[in-house]
Amino acid sequence: MKYIRKRQEPPEFKNWKEQANSDWQPDFRNLGGKPKEILIKALMTEQGEICCYCENRLIDGEYHIEHFKPQSDPTVDPLDYANLLCSCQANLRTGEPRRCGNLKNSWFDENLLISPLNPDCESHFAFNYDGTIKPVQEDDQKAINTIEKLGLNLNQIKALRKAAIDPFFDEEIDNAQLKVFVNRYLCLDDQQRYGVLFNRPFSLQK
């Protein structure tokens, strides 16, 4: 999980909401067309085109607009930009298991879920050599629950993490090459995208 710094909501999205009148009220269910396209682009740009939870690359047709606090909660404004993210979406036609926002669905407990909108979210997690994610502190119930509720240790995700970690332990790679790998995960590329899965030096444990 990478910290996501929210920006101002797109003016076009804000203007769409402000068109509310006695005959029409903006609703997430009728969000479409240009306002939705602009909203998705803004969310993707904020996140460097990676999933807000597992950090995998967001691919066209395989992501959705995620409400961190579920819109099923009557106290939540479904169009509150500060609560909107982009999450990956499993391709159920190929038998992929649900993960991230799809798996979390409408469940929410602020005491048991780490938010990617929290600046210290990254400090809660460490990674094993096999790609497994784990809490930095063994008794961190919030991290434990977050991993479970988002499916962050599904085999597919672990395999991708392992592939990202492996180059750091190749004895034939020199420091200059390692720096290239690290920068890939730390820095935005020329298309303003992060490298997938990891975006910081990671804590590795056996």
Side-chain angles (χ1 to χ4, degrees), residues 37 40-41 44 49 57-64 86-89 91 93 193:
E37 289 178 16
I40 290 175
K41 181 174 177 55
M44 294 272 277
E49 298 189 16
R57 170 76 65 233
L58 295 173
I59 302 171
D60 286 346
E62 295 184 16
Y63 59 80
H64 67 278
C86 263
S87 174
C88 61
Q89 182 160 303
N91 187 339
R93 290 176 297 180
R193 301 184 307 176

Side-chain angles (χ1 to χ4, degrees), residues 156-178:
Q156 181 186 38
I157 299 176
K158 288 196 295 184
L160 290 169
R161 288 199 198 101
K162 186 177 186 304
I165 290 171
D166 281 346
F168 291 85
F169 299 96
D170 185 339
E171 294 181 357
E172 295 183 2
I173 293 180
D174 59 27
N175 288 337
Q177 291 171 310
L178 283 175

Side-chain angles (χ1 to χ4, degrees), residues 9 14 26 28 37-38 43 67 69 112 152 157 194 203:
E9 64 181 335
K14 181 178 180 182
F28 189 76
E37 289 178 16
I38 291 171
L43 295 174
H67 292 79
K69 296 180 180 179
L112 290 174
L152 297 182
I157 299 176
Y194 284 115
S203 172

Side-chain angles (χ1 to χ4, degrees), residues 16 22 36 40 47 130-131 133 148 183 188 199 202 204:
W16 176 78
S22 58
K36 185 174 183 179
I40 290 175
Q47 297 175 203
D130 65 356
I133 188 172
E148 177 186 353
N183 285 338
L188 293 166
N199 304 284
F202 16 86
L204 294 168

Side-chain angles (χ1 to χ4, degrees), residues 8 42 52 71 79 91 109 119 137 155 169 182 186 194 198:
Q8 292 294 320
C52 61
Q71 57 179 324
L79 296 173
N91 187 339
D109 185 333
Q137 302 295 329
N155 288 336
F169 299 96
V182 170
L186 278 173
Y194 284 115
F198 295 97

